[in-house]
Amino acid sequence: MALLISGCNIYNGEEVNTQTGAKELILKDKFADDFKIGTAISKAQVLNASDPELLLAAKHFNTFTPENAMKWESINPLPNEYQFEVADALVNFAAANKQQLVGHTLVWHSQTPDWVFEDDSGNLLNRDQLLQRMQHHIKTVAGRYADQIFAWDVVNEALNEDGTLRESKWQQIIGDDFIEHAFMFAHQAAPKAKLYYNDYNMFKPAKRAGAIALIKRLKQKGIQIDGVGMQAHYSLASPDFAEVEDSIVALAATGVDVMITELDISVLPFPENLAEGADVSLDVALQQQYNPYATGLPNAVEQQLASRYQALFSIYKKHSNSIGRVTFWGVSDKQTWRNGWPMQGRTDYPLLIDRNMQIKGFVDSL
């Protein structure tokens, strides 16, 4: 399959500029000796074959993660109703462009409809009923793509900041072993797929310890877990990248692969009364002091962003034997979720590709 992108022919992974003949920086090629480079793809992108960001994704990335298309509320919004159009389109696009597709996500406390946990009268299900519902969903979704999806984020964000299990409805109704069952059901549905646990703020020592305990518990019980995803929603001020490195080393020591997932580095100030991370439930009114770069990013701030990315990628490359994939949460600054979280209407610059869909100048030095 050949794609024409901004005067470049891409064919079988080879890229040639048809206008100048010059080599262009291609992200997946730049880090080919280190790790896979991925991005998140949205519904709007994958359903529009001419979307410039979708074509750019095919050019620069060799793994895809669906932004929302495979979350429970999107793919199974009502009992016995499955909507596979977007997921099918993404699977087909990834296959046509020889990219690995990571399914995201099978079990999560957020973006899961209330009916999942309730009977027809609105009463909470019991343990056996909810386990049965979980198994049916995983069998239906993961089973449909058993030969096409390389790996699954089986469980997403099940830990509190102190490393204990989040008191979600999954945990409250089924118990602490809901994670074990999710991984077992995923293995039954897609026996060839890699199975991952994914969470944010994994650089924090307490949360890191909780993840390590979770991995060890699954392994001790003979339950398949192949990797852990460290979400990387960072800022210019935090976290301390020494803690990020400590977590990479500690997680890899458990014998699983480490993936860097959902990477972006916000340049915007964050309200002091809100906890940084990736809690999608945060939604506060726009305040202009938290949107200082609406008309453009000052060079001095872009240099700060460059320094942060350079420091981070030096760590990633140092530990490339442990890191299988680095996935950005979005293709370009134009459509990053950071523009709308935790305030709608902000203008952020957190990715390596700018609003004009050009690679930023500092990327070559990463």
Side-chain angles (χ1 to χ4, degrees), residues 76-215:
N76 186 193
L78 296 170
N80 302 314
E81 179 182 315
Y82 285 87
Q83 299 182 0
F84 291 117
E85 178 189 12
V86 182
D88 284 353
L90 186 53
V91 166
N92 293 335
F93 186 82
N97 289 282
K98 297 181 171 61
Q99 275 110 354
Q100 290 180 337
L101 181 61
V102 179
H104 178 79
T105 174
L106 293 171
V107 174
W108 189 23
H109 66 277
S110 185
Q111 292 182 247
T112 301
D114 288 339
W115 68 260
V116 173
F117 307 101
E118 299 172 352
D119 63 18
D120 293 341
S121 300
N123 301 310
L124 288 180
L125 302 179
N126 60 37
R127 171 185 163 90
D128 290 341
Q129 290 170 325
L130 187 53
L131 280 171
Q132 189 174 47
R133 188 159 289 180
M134 176 198 285
Q135 182 178 25
H136 180 268
H137 176 84
I138 292 175
K139 181 178 180 180
T140 303
V141 177
R144 181 182 180 89
Y145 304 113
D147 295 324
Q148 296 144 308
I149 288 185
F150 166 75
W152 277 98
D153 289 334
V154 178
V155 177
N156 197 51
E157 301 174 4
L159 296 174
N160 294 312
E161 298 304 282
D162 64 359
T164 60
L165 281 181
R166 183 191 295 270
E167 293 182 357
S168 66
K169 288 183 179 178
W170 294 111
Q171 187 272 339
Q172 292 170 352
I173 297 172
I174 295 175
D176 292 352
D177 63 342
F178 81 91
I179 298 176
E180 299 166 19
H181 284 278
F183 275 85
M184 288 189 292
F185 295 153
H187 173 71
Q188 292 166 7
K192 293 185 289 186
K194 299 285 189 180
L195 305 181
Y196 303 147
Y197 174 75
N198 189 59
D199 213 328
Y200 61 85
N201 286 352
M202 296 277 273
F203 62 87
K204 293 184 176 181
K207 201 162 192 177
R208 173 201 312 154
I212 290 172
L214 171 61
I215 295 165

Side-chain angles (χ1 to χ4, degrees), residues 230-349:
M230 291 179 59
Q231 292 183 30
H233 296 295
Y234 299 153
S235 72
L236 296 181
S238 67
D240 180 341
F241 286 161
E243 291 185 317
V244 172
E245 184 171 18
D246 288 346
S247 287
I248 292 171
V249 172
L251 290 166
T254 66
V256 300
D257 295 331
V258 176
M259 268 66 58
I260 308 303
T261 63
E262 308 189 25
L263 173 59
D264 47 37
I265 299 179
S266 175
V267 302
L268 299 181
F270 204 84
E272 293 182 1
N273 62 324
L274 298 179
E276 289 194 58
D279 185 347
V280 295
S281 67
L282 292 180
D283 185 11
V284 296
L286 177 64
Q287 301 171 55
Q288 289 307 316
Q289 69 264 36
Y290 298 117
N291 189 35
Y293 311 126
T295 58
L297 189 65
N299 183 63
V301 181
E302 178 149 343
Q303 290 305 309
Q304 293 179 57
L305 179 65
S307 295
R308 288 289 276 174
Y309 264 118
Q310 286 162 356
L312 191 58
F313 267 78
S314 69
I315 292 172
Y316 292 164
K317 288 173 72 69
K318 177 181 176 182
H319 298 284
S320 60
N321 288 339
S322 300
I323 296 173
R325 167 172 55 96
V326 175
T327 292
F328 292 85
W329 205 241
V331 177
S332 79
D333 291 343
K334 183 178 179 181
Q335 53 76 247
T336 171
W337 78 299
R338 290 284 200 171
N339 293 327
W341 182 88
M343 299 175 182
Q344 294 290 331
R346 296 210 294 176
T347 303
D348 209 341
Y349 305 80

